Amino acid sequence: MSETELDPDVTIDSRGATCPGPLMDLIGKVKEADPGTVIELQTSDSGSKGDVPEWLDEAGHDLLETVEHDDYWSMYVEIN
Amino acid sequence: MTEHIVVVGGGTGGTVLANRLAEKLGPEIERGDARVTLVSDDPDHVYKPTFLYVPFGKKTVEDAKRPLADLVDRAVDIEIDRVTGIDTDGKRLSLRDGGSMAYDQLALALGAQLVPEELPGLAEGGHHFYGPDGADALRDEMAEFTEGHLVLSVIGTPHMCPAAPVEFVLMADAWFRERGLREDVEITYTYPIQRAHAIQNVADWASEAFEERNINVETFFNADEVDPEEGVLHSMEGTELDYDLLVGIPPHAGSDLVTEAGLGDDGWADVDKHTLESEHAEDVYVLGDLADVPTSKAGSVAHYEAGAVADRIASRTRGQTPTATYDGKTVCFIESGMDEATFVDFEYGTQPTVREPSKPVHWAKLGYNESYWLTARGLL
C-alpha cells in the first residue's frame, strides 16, 4: 500500500460506485468547499483516473496526488 | 404469530412489491400467518414517465395517476399516512396521523425527491417536467415559445430516468420542426461530465443524434447559479449560457428518514446491490430510486427489484432461506423524436447496445405506457 503525507480536510468514500458516481460525488463536494480545501476522493472505478483530472483541468482545480491502494485509489484534490 | 410485512411508498417499487407479495403469500395471508400493509401518503399512484409527454401536449398530468386502491390487491391493507420515523431496533414506524406501526419485515420504496432550491435561481428561472406542476407550467411555456434559445441542463446526477433529458431535446427538435419553428429555435443540452450521458454507448448515440439535428452540446457543465433577471445559466467551470427558456433537471435527494434511521448517511440507503437488504439493519429492504445501487433510477429497476424483494420476503416468511437476487436489470425506452424511439437494456457491469430508432419501438413505448397499469398490478 502506498502512503502520502497529505492530510485531507474532507474524505469522500465513493468506493463501489461506477462512473460517473465518483466524479459526481467530487463535484458535489467541490460546490460546497472553500478555496484551499484538500479533498481525498476514494474510488475503485479505474475510469476516475481519467475523468477526474480532465474535469479538474476544466474547472481550474489541482490534482495533488493519486495514491494506489490494494483495491482502490485515493485522489487528492485542492480547491482553487 | 402473524408475520407483518410493511411496504412504505406507493410508486412503482412499492405497488409492484405489495401486489407480488399478495400473490406469493396468498395462502399465508388467507390463513392469517402473514399480513401485508402498504403505507403511502398519497392515495394516488403516479406513473412519472407520463410527464415527459405533457410539455408537448400529448398527455395530461391527470393521465399519470390512478387511485392506489384500484391497483393494489385487496389482500393488501392500504394505509394512507406518512412515515415520520423508523426505529429499526424496535422494528416500529412512527406515523404522522396514526401513532405507530410495528413490522417484522420492512421494505422502503420512498423514491427520490426534487430539490430545485439547492441551485440558486433555478426555482424562479427554470422549468422541468419531473412533476405535475412543473410539466403543466412547461407545457404552457412551450406552447408560447416560438423563437429563442431553449437550454436543457442536467443539473447534477443521480436523477430519475436518466434517458429523459436526451429524449426531451430530441422530441423538442422534432416538435418544433413539425410546427415550422425549428429555424427560429436554438437548442442546447448540457451535461455535468465529459460526455453527453453517463452510459458511454448512450452518450455516443446521443452525440451523433444531436449533431445530425443541430442540437448544441455543452459537456463538463455543472450549473451553479441561474440568473432569472438576465436569463443566464452559470456553470462551476466558468461557462455562461444565455437562455430564453430553461429546462433544468432539478437536483435530487433521497430521504431524511434514511439518514435519521442510520440507513445511509446522505439520504440514499446503503444496500447490498443483489439482495437489496440494508447494510445497517435487519429485515429492512430498500428498492427503487431510494436504494443506492449502481444502476439507473428508473421504473424498470424498481419493477425488477420488487420481484427479487418479494421472493426474498416470501421465503423468509415461510422460514426458508431466500435465494432470489437482483442482477441490475434495467430496460429503458428512449424516444428519439415525436414518432420514433429506441430502447436499451443492461445489467450490472454491462453496456447497453443502442438500436437504430424506429416507429414500431415508439408505438411499443406508447403501448407500454398504457399497459403500465398492468405492471403496477403485478400482472406484467
Side-chain angles (χ1 to χ4, degrees):
Chain A
M1 184 184 284
S2 308
E3 293 300 335
T4 180
E5 290 179 1
L6 290 167
D7 181 21
D9 302 298
V10 180
T11 298
I12 306 168
D13 184 355
S14 292
R15 289 174 293 176
T18 51
C19 174
L23 174 60
M24 293 312 301
D25 290 346
L26 175 66
I27 290 170
K29 282 283 184 245
V30 169
K31 272 186 184 171
E32 303 160 1
D34 296 323
T37 303
V38 174
I39 299 176
E40 176 193 0
L41 174 67
Q42 298 175 344
T43 172
S44 51
D45 177 42
S46 60
S48 301
K49 288 192 296 175
D51 291 353
V52 170
E54 211 181 318
W55 180 74
L56 292 172
D57 271 354
E58 192 79 18
H61 306 295
D62 295 326
L63 179 63
L64 302 176
E65 198 175 346
T66 299
V67 177
E68 188 168 353
H69 302 278
D70 286 345
D71 53 0
Y72 71 98
W73 291 269
S74 286
M75 306 184 79
Y76 292 88
V77 173
E78 183 170 6
I79 306 308
N80 289 321
Chain B
M1 272 287 282
T2 303
E3 180 86 352
H4 190 202
I5 300 148
V6 178
V7 179
V8 185
T12 300
T15 305
V16 174
L17 175 59
N19 281 326
R20 289 280 169 89
L21 287 169
E23 180 198 337
K24 288 181 183 302
L25 291 173
E28 286 80 2
I29 294 171
E30 188 105 337
R31 288 197 302 269
D33 293 341
R35 183 157 72 96
V36 179
T37 303
L38 174 65
V39 185
S40 175
D41 63 354
D42 186 345
D44 287 321
H45 175 99
V46 177
Y47 181 50
K48 295 177 190 172
T50 305
F51 297 144
L52 172 66
Y53 299 88
V54 173
F56 304 104
K58 302 292 183 191
K59 292 276 182 187
T60 69
V61 297
E62 286 301 311
D63 294 331
K65 63 182 186 182
R66 297 252 177 118
L68 261 181
D70 289 353
L71 297 172
V72 174
D73 193 295
R74 286 180 188 177
V76 175
D77 297 325
I78 299 176
E79 188 82 31
I80 303 302
D81 206 335
R82 175 177 274 266
V83 173
T84 53
I86 303 168
D87 171 6
T88 57
D89 292 330
K91 295 186 136 183
R92 186 166 281 280
L93 306 175
S94 308
L95 300 173
R96 182 187 56 195
D97 303 332
S100 69
M101 180 184 288
Y103 68 82
D104 296 298
Q105 297 186 72
L106 175 68
L108 299 174
L110 295 157
Q113 316 303 316
L114 303 177
V115 282
E117 59 277 10
E118 277 193 2
L119 187 77
L122 180 61
E124 302 80 15
H127 289 83
H128 69 81
F129 54 92
Y130 270 59
D133 296 344
D136 263 345
L138 181 55
R139 178 201 57 216
D140 294 346
E141 287 292 319
M142 292 282 282
E144 298 290 324
F145 192 72
T146 54
E147 61 177 342
H149 191 192
L150 186 159
V151 174
L152 181 140
S153 184
V154 177
I155 299 163
T157 63
H159 62 82
M160 291 180 273
C161 195
V166 171
E167 294 180 281
F168 183 85
V169 288
L170 293 174
M171 290 168 77
D173 164 74
W175 192 70
F176 286 120
R177 276 181 211 280
E178 277 176 9
R179 300 171 67 225
L181 299 169
R182 183 62 175 94
E183 284 185 5
D184 301 318
V185 176
E186 185 180 2
I187 301 177
T188 298
Y189 168 97
T190 85
Y191 203 70
I193 62 169
Q194 76 281 25
R195 55 179 183 263
H197 194 271
I199 298 170
Q200 183 72 53
N201 288 0
V202 175
D204 293 345
W205 171 79
S207 297
E208 204 179 312
F210 290 163
E211 196 174 339
E212 275 169 13
R213 299 174 202 199
N214 204 22
I215 295 167
N216 311 319
V217 180
E218 289 277 343
T219 55
F220 271 149
F221 190 100
N222 284 277
D224 69 352
E225 191 178 357
V226 179
D227 181 345
E229 299 286 312
E230 298 294 322
V232 181
L233 176 63
H234 299 267
S235 83
M236 282 173 77
E237 292 82 6
T239 319
E240 289 183 358
L241 275 177
D242 292 332
Y243 68 83
D244 297 298
L245 175 56
L246 174 64
V247 181
I249 308 305
H252 284 42
S255 169
D256 291 343
L257 284 175
V258 165
T259 313
E260 288 159 11
L263 298 172
D265 57 14
D266 57 1
W268 307 108
D270 300 327
V271 293
D272 180 290
K273 69 180 183 179
H274 293 293
T275 66
L276 302 162
E277 291 175 8
S278 169
E279 292 179 354
H280 307 293
E282 293 283 316
D283 298 318
V284 176
Y285 300 80
V286 186
L287 66 159
D289 294 345
L290 189 63
D292 188 6
V293 292
T295 189
S296 302
K297 297 202 179 301
S300 65
V301 171
H303 174 144
Y304 292 118
E305 288 176 340
V309 171
D311 278 359
R312 295 189 73 82
I313 289 178
S315 296
R316 282 247 159 75
T317 303
R318 298 188 198 109
Q320 300 163 342
T321 301
T323 54
T325 53
Y326 170 66
D327 56 8
K329 188 170 173 62
T330 309
V331 179
C332 299
F333 281 103
I334 306 176
E335 294 280 19
S336 55
M338 294 310 290
D339 64 354
E340 58 168 30
T342 181
F343 71 99
V344 291
D345 63 309
F346 50 99
E347 298 170 355
Y348 287 140
T350 67
Q351 274 276 335
T353 300
V354 185
R355 298 154 180 90
E356 188 65 27
S358 68
K359 287 186 182 185
V361 177
H362 166 70
W363 290 108
K365 172 158 187 178
L366 296 189
Y368 178 77
N369 286 349
E370 292 302 315
S371 59
Y372 168 75
W373 304 106
L374 299 175
T375 296
R377 288 193 178 100
L379 297 174
L380 277 183

mmCIF file of all heavy atoms in Angstrom, chain A residues 18-20 23-24 27 30-31 51 54-55 58-59, chain B residues 156-157 192-195 198 220 222-223 236-237 294:
data_model
loop_
_atom_site.group_PDB
_atom_site.id
_atom_site.type_symbol
_atom_site.label_atom_id
_atom_site.label_comp_id
_atom_site.label_asym_id
_atom_site.label_seq_id
_atom_site.Cartn_x
_atom_site.Cartn_y
_atom_site.Cartn_z
ATOM 1 N N THR A 18 -19.880 3.229 -9.645
ATOM 2 C CA THR A 18 -19.342 3.188 -11.004
ATOM 3 C C THR A 18 -19.454 4.571 -11.628
ATOM 4 O O THR A 18 -20.202 5.424 -11.159
ATOM 5 C CB THR A 18 -20.118 2.171 -11.866
ATOM 6 O OG1 THR A 18 -21.511 2.458 -11.727
ATOM 7 C CG2 THR A 18 -19.854 0.755 -11.406
ATOM 8 N N CYS A 19 -18.750 4.751 -12.717
ATOM 9 C CA CYS A 19 -18.732 6.018 -13.436
ATOM 10 C C CYS A 19 -20.159 6.465 -13.758
ATOM 11 O O CYS A 19 -20.940 5.634 -14.203
ATOM 12 C CB CYS A 19 -17.952 5.843 -14.730
ATOM 13 S SG CYS A 19 -18.000 7.273 -15.799
ATOM 14 N N PRO A 20 -20.552 7.713 -13.607
ATOM 15 C CA PRO A 20 -19.722 8.829 -13.157
ATOM 16 C C PRO A 20 -19.875 9.112 -11.665
ATOM 17 O O PRO A 20 -19.608 10.231 -11.237
ATOM 18 C CB PRO A 20 -20.275 9.994 -13.971
ATOM 19 C CG PRO A 20 -21.757 9.700 -14.027
ATOM 20 C CD PRO A 20 -21.885 8.199 -14.038
ATOM 21 N N LEU A 23 -16.907 10.907 -9.762
ATOM 22 C CA LEU A 23 -16.700 12.285 -10.227
ATOM 23 C C LEU A 23 -17.849 13.179 -9.755
ATOM 24 O O LEU A 23 -17.627 14.306 -9.298
ATOM 25 C CB LEU A 23 -16.585 12.324 -11.757
ATOM 26 C CG LEU A 23 -16.502 13.718 -12.383
ATOM 27 C CD1 LEU A 23 -15.291 14.504 -11.869
ATOM 28 C CD2 LEU A 23 -16.444 13.634 -13.916
ATOM 29 N N MET A 24 -19.088 12.677 -9.829
ATOM 30 C CA MET A 24 -20.217 13.493 -9.390
ATOM 31 C C MET A 24 -20.177 13.724 -7.881
ATOM 32 O O MET A 24 -20.545 14.793 -7.404
ATOM 33 C CB MET A 24 -21.548 12.859 -9.794
ATOM 34 C CG MET A 24 -21.805 12.820 -11.294
ATOM 35 S SD MET A 24 -21.518 14.382 -12.155
ATOM 36 C CE MET A 24 -22.647 15.472 -11.316
ATOM 37 N N ILE A 27 -17.677 16.498 -7.501
ATOM 38 C CA ILE A 27 -18.230 17.794 -7.929
ATOM 39 C C ILE A 27 -19.192 18.332 -6.867
ATOM 40 O O ILE A 27 -19.176 19.522 -6.546
ATOM 41 C CB ILE A 27 -18.936 17.637 -9.306
ATOM 42 C CG1 ILE A 27 -17.887 17.403 -10.404
ATOM 43 C CG2 ILE A 27 -19.776 18.864 -9.627
ATOM 44 C CD1 ILE A 27 -18.456 17.000 -11.763
ATOM 45 N N VAL A 30 -17.076 19.772 -4.131
ATOM 46 C CA VAL A 30 -16.357 20.974 -4.554
ATOM 47 C C VAL A 30 -17.282 22.190 -4.510
ATOM 48 O O VAL A 30 -16.876 23.291 -4.156
ATOM 49 C CB VAL A 30 -15.753 20.782 -5.975
ATOM 50 C CG1 VAL A 30 -15.235 22.091 -6.534
ATOM 51 C CG2 VAL A 30 -14.647 19.731 -5.941
ATOM 52 N N LYS A 31 -18.570 21.953 -4.840
ATOM 53 C CA LYS A 31 -19.548 23.060 -4.818
ATOM 54 C C LYS A 31 -19.593 23.726 -3.454
ATOM 55 O O LYS A 31 -19.811 24.919 -3.340
ATOM 56 C CB LYS A 31 -20.944 22.515 -5.147
ATOM 57 C CG LYS A 31 -21.253 22.469 -6.606
ATOM 58 C CD LYS A 31 -22.697 22.071 -6.853
ATOM 59 C CE LYS A 31 -22.949 21.940 -8.368
ATOM 60 N NZ LYS A 31 -24.229 21.370 -8.701
ATOM 61 N N ASP A 51 -11.325 10.618 -15.802
ATOM 62 C CA ASP A 51 -12.416 11.602 -15.660
ATOM 63 C C ASP A 51 -12.048 12.753 -14.745
ATOM 64 O O ASP A 51 -12.297 13.911 -15.046
ATOM 65 C CB ASP A 51 -13.632 10.967 -14.947
ATOM 66 C CG ASP A 51 -14.321 9.927 -15.781
ATOM 67 O OD1 ASP A 51 -13.950 9.792 -16.935
ATOM 68 O OD2 ASP A 51 -15.235 9.272 -15.228
ATOM 69 N N GLU A 54 -9.407 15.339 -15.892
ATOM 70 C CA GLU A 54 -9.942 16.106 -17.018
ATOM 71 C C GLU A 54 -10.907 17.181 -16.507
ATOM 72 O O GLU A 54 -10.883 18.335 -16.951
ATOM 73 C CB GLU A 54 -10.671 15.135 -17.959
ATOM 74 C CG GLU A 54 -10.626 15.539 -19.411
ATOM 75 C CD GLU A 54 -11.378 14.543 -20.291
ATOM 76 O OE1 GLU A 54 -11.243 13.323 -20.074
ATOM 77 O OE2 GLU A 54 -12.114 15.005 -21.166
ATOM 78 N N TRP A 55 -11.759 16.802 -15.544
ATOM 79 C CA TRP A 55 -12.697 17.788 -15.005
ATOM 80 C C TRP A 55 -11.958 18.866 -14.189
ATOM 81 O O TRP A 55 -12.292 20.051 -14.267
ATOM 82 C CB TRP A 55 -13.766 17.127 -14.125
ATOM 83 C CG TRP A 55 -14.718 18.171 -13.590
ATOM 84 C CD1 TRP A 55 -15.686 18.809 -14.306
ATOM 85 C CD2 TRP A 55 -14.727 18.744 -12.287
ATOM 86 N NE1 TRP A 55 -16.316 19.734 -13.508
ATOM 87 C CE2 TRP A 55 -15.752 19.720 -12.269
ATOM 88 C CE3 TRP A 55 -13.981 18.526 -11.137
ATOM 89 C CZ2 TRP A 55 -16.047 20.478 -11.132
ATOM 90 C CZ3 TRP A 55 -14.274 19.279 -10.004
ATOM 91 C CH2 TRP A 55 -15.295 20.245 -10.010
ATOM 92 N N GLU A 58 -10.662 21.426 -16.406
ATOM 93 C CA GLU A 58 -11.756 22.246 -16.927
ATOM 94 C C GLU A 58 -12.219 23.266 -15.881
ATOM 95 O O GLU A 58 -12.507 24.414 -16.195
ATOM 96 C CB GLU A 58 -12.909 21.287 -17.274
ATOM 97 C CG GLU A 58 -14.022 21.880 -18.078
ATOM 98 C CD GLU A 58 -13.695 21.994 -19.561
ATOM 99 O OE1 GLU A 58 -12.760 21.312 -20.014
ATOM 100 O OE2 GLU A 58 -14.366 22.796 -20.232
ATOM 101 N N ALA A 59 -12.301 22.800 -14.628
ATOM 102 C CA ALA A 59 -12.870 23.643 -13.568
ATOM 103 C C ALA A 59 -11.805 24.461 -12.842
ATOM 104 O O ALA A 59 -12.138 25.307 -12.007
ATOM 105 C CB ALA A 59 -13.626 22.770 -12.574
ATOM 106 N N GLY B 156 -26.711 18.038 -12.146
ATOM 107 C CA GLY B 156 -26.328 17.025 -11.171
ATOM 108 C C GLY B 156 -26.925 15.663 -11.455
ATOM 109 O O GLY B 156 -27.946 15.533 -12.112
ATOM 110 N N THR B 157 -26.232 14.653 -10.992
ATOM 111 C CA THR B 157 -26.743 13.287 -11.026
ATOM 112 C C THR B 157 -26.558 12.736 -9.619
ATOM 113 O O THR B 157 -25.740 13.257 -8.867
ATOM 114 C CB THR B 157 -25.981 12.406 -12.041
ATOM 115 O OG1 THR B 157 -24.628 12.322 -11.631
ATOM 116 C CG2 THR B 157 -26.088 12.937 -13.445
ATOM 117 N N PRO B 192 -23.146 17.189 -16.941
ATOM 118 C CA PRO B 192 -22.064 17.503 -15.982
ATOM 119 C C PRO B 192 -20.704 16.896 -16.299
ATOM 120 O O PRO B 192 -19.692 17.450 -15.894
ATOM 121 C CB PRO B 192 -22.576 16.914 -14.658
ATOM 122 C CG PRO B 192 -24.012 16.644 -14.845
ATOM 123 C CD PRO B 192 -24.235 16.438 -16.305
ATOM 124 N N ILE B 193 -20.672 15.737 -16.956
ATOM 125 C CA ILE B 193 -19.371 15.096 -17.173
ATOM 126 C C ILE B 193 -18.891 15.330 -18.609
ATOM 127 O O ILE B 193 -19.487 16.136 -19.321
ATOM 128 C CB ILE B 193 -19.400 13.599 -16.793
ATOM 129 C CG1 ILE B 193 -20.399 12.839 -17.653
ATOM 130 C CG2 ILE B 193 -19.724 13.453 -15.305
ATOM 131 C CD1 ILE B 193 -20.284 11.322 -17.513
ATOM 132 N N GLN B 194 -17.846 14.623 -19.002
ATOM 133 C CA GLN B 194 -17.180 14.943 -20.267
ATOM 134 C C GLN B 194 -17.842 14.361 -21.505
ATOM 135 O O GLN B 194 -17.289 14.410 -22.589
ATOM 136 C CB GLN B 194 -15.707 14.512 -20.203
ATOM 137 C CG GLN B 194 -15.438 13.027 -20.349
ATOM 138 C CD GLN B 194 -15.685 12.231 -19.079
ATOM 139 O OE1 GLN B 194 -16.464 12.623 -18.222
ATOM 140 N NE2 GLN B 194 -15.012 11.087 -18.960
ATOM 141 N N ARG B 195 -19.028 13.778 -21.338
ATOM 142 C CA ARG B 195 -19.769 13.272 -22.493
ATOM 143 C C ARG B 195 -21.253 13.533 -22.257
ATOM 144 O O ARG B 195 -21.638 14.005 -21.196
ATOM 145 C CB ARG B 195 -19.461 11.794 -22.705
ATOM 146 C CG ARG B 195 -19.712 10.927 -21.491
ATOM 147 C CD ARG B 195 -19.394 9.462 -21.794
ATOM 148 N NE ARG B 195 -19.700 8.631 -20.654
ATOM 149 C CZ ARG B 195 -18.805 8.230 -19.748
ATOM 150 N NH1 ARG B 195 -17.546 8.597 -19.856
ATOM 151 N NH2 ARG B 195 -19.172 7.468 -18.744
ATOM 152 N N ALA B 198 -24.155 9.501 -18.936
ATOM 153 C CA ALA B 198 -23.275 8.711 -18.070
ATOM 154 C C ALA B 198 -22.877 7.395 -18.734
ATOM 155 O O ALA B 198 -21.746 6.935 -18.602
ATOM 156 C CB ALA B 198 -23.969 8.432 -16.736
ATOM 157 N N PHE B 220 -19.148 18.829 -19.417
ATOM 158 C CA PHE B 220 -18.463 19.398 -18.246
ATOM 159 C C PHE B 220 -19.143 20.693 -17.835
ATOM 160 O O PHE B 220 -18.508 21.711 -17.601
ATOM 161 C CB PHE B 220 -16.986 19.647 -18.525
ATOM 162 C CG PHE B 220 -16.109 18.464 -18.218
ATOM 163 C CD1 PHE B 220 -14.939 18.239 -18.940
ATOM 164 C CD2 PHE B 220 -16.425 17.581 -17.206
ATOM 165 C CE1 PHE B 220 -14.119 17.154 -18.655
ATOM 166 C CE2 PHE B 220 -15.605 16.496 -16.916
ATOM 167 C CZ PHE B 220 -14.451 16.282 -17.642
ATOM 168 N N ASN B 222 -21.517 21.999 -15.054
ATOM 169 C CA ASN B 222 -22.200 21.820 -13.770
ATOM 170 C C ASN B 222 -22.791 23.153 -13.355
ATOM 171 O O ASN B 222 -22.083 24.037 -12.865
ATOM 172 C CB ASN B 222 -21.213 21.306 -12.723
ATOM 173 C CG ASN B 222 -20.909 19.842 -12.930
ATOM 174 O OD1 ASN B 222 -21.651 18.982 -12.493
ATOM 175 N ND2 ASN B 222 -19.823 19.559 -13.644
ATOM 176 N N ALA B 223 -24.087 23.298 -13.583
ATOM 177 C CA ALA B 223 -24.746 24.577 -13.292
ATOM 178 C C ALA B 223 -24.554 24.929 -11.821
ATOM 179 O O ALA B 223 -24.720 24.071 -10.949
ATOM 180 C CB ALA B 223 -26.228 24.468 -13.621
ATOM 181 N N MET B 236 -20.050 25.894 -12.837
ATOM 182 C CA MET B 236 -18.866 25.860 -11.977
ATOM 183 C C MET B 236 -17.579 25.979 -12.780
ATOM 184 O O MET B 236 -16.546 26.385 -12.275
ATOM 185 C CB MET B 236 -18.790 24.502 -11.259
ATOM 186 C CG MET B 236 -19.694 24.329 -10.106
ATOM 187 S SD MET B 236 -19.606 22.618 -9.549
ATOM 188 C CE MET B 236 -18.054 22.608 -8.672
ATOM 189 N N GLU B 237 -17.653 25.548 -14.035
ATOM 190 C CA GLU B 237 -16.457 25.539 -14.882
ATOM 191 C C GLU B 237 -16.219 26.903 -15.526
ATOM 192 O O GLU B 237 -15.285 27.075 -16.316
ATOM 193 C CB GLU B 237 -16.601 24.457 -15.969
ATOM 194 C CG GLU B 237 -16.567 23.030 -15.433
ATOM 195 C CD GLU B 237 -17.910 22.556 -14.880
ATOM 196 O OE1 GLU B 237 -18.909 23.298 -15.007
ATOM 197 O OE2 GLU B 237 -17.965 21.463 -14.293
ATOM 198 N N PRO B 294 -25.626 0.678 -8.124
ATOM 199 C CA PRO B 294 -25.008 1.247 -9.328
ATOM 200 C C PRO B 294 -25.770 0.939 -10.611
ATOM 201 O O PRO B 294 -25.282 0.265 -11.499
ATOM 202 C CB PRO B 294 -23.616 0.598 -9.331
ATOM 203 C CG PRO B 294 -23.796 -0.688 -8.623
ATOM 204 C CD PRO B 294 -24.868 -0.472 -7.605
#
